[in-house]
Amino acid sequence: MRREDAPPWSDDPVGFLRELGRGPDSGFDPGAAALAFALRERPTMPIGPYLAHFDEIADRTRIALGPTDSAAARAAALGLVVHGLFNYAGDSQTYDDQQNADLVRVVDRRKGLPVALGIIHMSVAHRLGWPLVGLAFPGHFLLMLEHDGQRLPLDPFDGAAVLTAAGMRRILKSVQGESAELTAECYTPVSDRAVLLRLQNNIKLRRLRGGDVPGALGVAEAMLAFAPDTLELVREIAMMHMRLENITDAIRHFETYLDAEQNDALRHKAAALLQELKNRLN
């Protein structure tokens, strides 16, 4: 298969996401998964060139690394190629634009949210065999590059800049207030699946804020295919069906949710909504 050819899964992107959902939480190509989410709404779009684009970035990064293979050299090569050669940048001017969370549009426009840019870095690293993971850093997505016992936090929104503790603290205070301080959680790795869900959650929330409940529902259903054990998504899907007056579908999802939820307070709220829906059918 040539690089620009469509992958076999492009005819059924949700099926591909469902297959990934049956596998491990990390180890797959994050870029391919993000493109599958985007392809769900663009069934005729050629996806091969986007995957080929990530291949090219990886090739150029490998060349840029040169003979000195250290964590710092890898970080510098990523920054030089992704942000320097291919001109990717964080979109601070129109940050809340939904295009910034849509990987196809991020590639087309060469700008996006931190998590979208992070997924491009992760997809490149996946091709190179470099350990690069997302962090559970609140409010601003960061990466951690590990090599030869070194661990370097990177900011994909700022040219893959290597962050010191002071730099991370500055970002944290900018999103959580001056009283915020770094904790161990800020350095905790998260799974590739969690990173993809974080990206899609940005799209879902933007659609809900814009009143596009059917669009948000479609995103949530694709997320559930990709992460079938995420109970919160089942509850959200039930709520969206309820808002759309899809009573039967809402009841079905609430019942599924109640069968698995262990938290008594959450069960009580869902049960009340379920009873309200059943009363509507009477």
Side-chain angles (χ1 to χ4, degrees):
M1 185 175 76
R2 298 192 310 275
R3 284 187 171 186
E4 66 274 14
D5 288 345
W9 54 260
S10 61
D11 290 334
D12 184 14
V14 175
F16 175 62
L17 292 171
R18 189 170 290 110
E19 181 182 342
L20 291 177
R22 292 191 287 266
D25 287 342
S26 294
F28 53 86
D29 177 5
L35 289 171
F37 275 107
L39 187 60
R40 179 185 65 83
E41 297 181 329
R42 304 175 176 88
T44 63
M45 186 191 74
I47 205 70
Y50 290 88
L51 292 167
H53 175 64
F54 297 155
D55 290 339
E56 183 182 6
I57 297 175
D59 288 345
R60 297 295 186 93
T61 303
R62 186 182 292 108
I63 294 168
L65 177 64
T68 305
D69 189 8
S70 65
R74 289 184 176 188
L78 279 171
L80 176 67
V81 175
V82 176
H83 299 275
L85 184 60
F86 287 94
N87 298 312
Y88 280 96
D91 186 358
S92 57
Q93 299 300 313
T94 55
Y95 188 88
D96 288 327
D97 190 327
Q98 187 172 294
Q99 295 181 96
N100 286 329
D102 179 338
L103 201 66
V104 165
R105 295 299 296 141
V106 171
V107 173
D108 291 343
R109 299 162 71 235
R110 296 294 197 270
K111 58 184 178 180
L113 293 175
V115 65
L117 297 173
I119 285 172
I120 292 173
H121 287 81
M122 292 170 67
S123 190
V124 170
H126 175 81
R127 286 160 169 74
L128 295 170
W130 295 359
L132 183 65
V133 298
L135 293 180
F137 191 88
H140 185 92
F141 183 75
L142 297 178
L143 296 163
M144 181 70 80
L145 174 66
E146 186 169 357
H147 182 59
D148 273 353
Q150 286 188 295
R151 300 172 73 236
L152 298 179
L154 309 179
D155 185 355
F157 199 68
D158 185 24
V162 176
L163 292 168
T164 62
M168 291 180 70
R169 187 176 295 108
R170 190 160 47 248
I171 294 172
L172 184 65
K173 289 180 181 296
S174 73
V175 297
Q176 288 201 332
E178 284 300 316
S179 63
E181 290 296 340
L182 292 176
T183 64
E185 183 182 2
C186 296
Y187 293 90
T188 302
V190 296
S191 70
D192 294 350
R193 190 181 312 281
V195 175
L196 267 294
L197 292 176
R198 181 167 175 166
L199 178 69
Q200 295 306 306
N201 198 51
N202 273 285
I203 297 175
K204 173 170 62 71
L205 291 176
R206 281 164 170 75
R207 291 188 175 177
L208 286 173
R209 283 199 295 265
D212 181 12
V213 180
L217 175 60
V219 174
E221 288 174 336
M223 291 170 70
L224 185 61
F226 178 66
D229 297 328
T230 310
L231 269 182
E232 176 64 18
L233 283 171
V234 180
R235 188 186 68 83
E236 287 183 5
I237 289 170
M239 293 291 293
M240 283 187 262
H241 276 303
M242 188 174 183
R243 288 179 62 180
L244 293 169
E245 295 294 326
N246 300 331
I247 305 302
T248 302
D249 287 328
I251 288 173
R252 176 167 55 87
H253 281 88
F254 272 125
E255 288 177 340
T256 300
Y257 175 76
L258 284 167
D259 283 343
E261 180 58 70
Q262 301 297 312
N263 183 287
D264 287 340
L266 293 176
R267 283 181 56 81
H268 179 74
K269 291 179 182 178
L273 291 171
L274 177 60
Q275 187 59 53
E276 177 186 335
L277 288 165
K278 288 182 175 181
N279 290 340
R280 293 189 195 180
L281 293 179
N282 296 333

